[in-house]
Amino acid sequence: MAGNITFTMIKPDAVAAGNIGGILNMITEAGFTIKALKMTRLSRDIAGKFYEIHKERPFYEELVEFMSSGPIVAAVLEKENAVEDFRTLIGATNPADAAPGTIRARYAKNVGENAVHGADSDENAAREGSFHFSQYEMF
Ligand code: DAT
Ligand code: MG
């Protein structure tokens, strides 16, 4: 059965462009409840560890560089069928392919600077949530 928790980050491009409020509004309007939330900045080491799963991919260095280039907003979200519904809400990785009305269609700049992260499985959502938040920061 699909779980009810997912994990997201508002990426440095969207924070810098002043889109934290717009994106959080789209998330809550879509029926997600915020269980944990913080603004922070990832070091290169932490960003590299977070994206370790992509270590062999050609864009890994670029991704780590970008994700540590400025502040981000991390959040744990709750909704029925959270992981899949959130992937639908954010749209395709490349905003050129993202469906109209999705967060990436509205806010992403390009395939690398694409406004938001969304966990891709229940297992990764749990791993990523506890990577960023202690049990005392989740409500
Ligand atoms: P998603 O974020 O949609 O789950 P992913 O897991 O395949 O996509 O990749 C993680 C991030 O890496 C993605 O949000 C942006 C970056 N990325 C992916 N493909 C890329 C590419 N071809 N060039 C540059 N960055 C890329
Ligand atoms: Mg992914």
Side-chain angles (χ1 to χ4, degrees):
M1 206 183 81
N4 62 353
I5 291 292
T6 193
F7 173 79
T8 187
M9 291 182 285
I10 301 175
K11 297 186 179 184
D13 60 313
V15 172
N19 293 325
I20 296 174
I23 290 171
L24 288 178
N25 191 50
M26 284 182 77
I27 290 171
T28 52
E29 285 287 310
F32 292 87
T33 303
I34 295 172
K35 307 291 285 181
L37 184 73
K38 76 170 128 194
M39 190 170 185
T40 184
R41 182 169 179 170
L42 308 180
S43 66
R44 287 189 114 272
D45 273 8
I46 297 288
K49 201 156 176 255
F50 182 86
Y51 281 110
E52 215 151 44
I53 202 162
H54 294 311
K55 205 166 187 139
E56 303 310 320
R57 296 176 77 177
F59 55 80
Y60 176 73
E61 280 306 322
E62 186 186 329
L63 175 62
V64 168
E65 184 70 35
F66 168 59
M67 288 302 295
S68 57
S69 68
I72 59 128
V73 172
V76 174
L77 306 173
E78 184 175 59
K79 185 186 180 295
E80 214 175 277
N81 201 37
V83 167
E84 191 185 345
D85 286 2
F86 192 71
R87 296 294 309 199
T88 302
L89 177 66
I90 68 178
T93 308
N94 187 340
D97 303 326
T102 60
I103 292 176
R104 282 169 168 167
R106 185 172 299 176
Y107 292 114
K109 287 207 248 182
N110 55 56
V111 68
E113 304 194 3
N114 61 3
V116 279
H117 167 82
D120 62 8
S121 67
D122 291 341
E123 188 189 356
N124 283 337
R127 182 185 73 82
E128 293 170 3
S130 48
F131 184 97
H132 284 279
F133 295 100
S134 82
Q135 61 179 304
Y136 306 108
E137 297 174 306
M138 288 196 233
F139 300 93

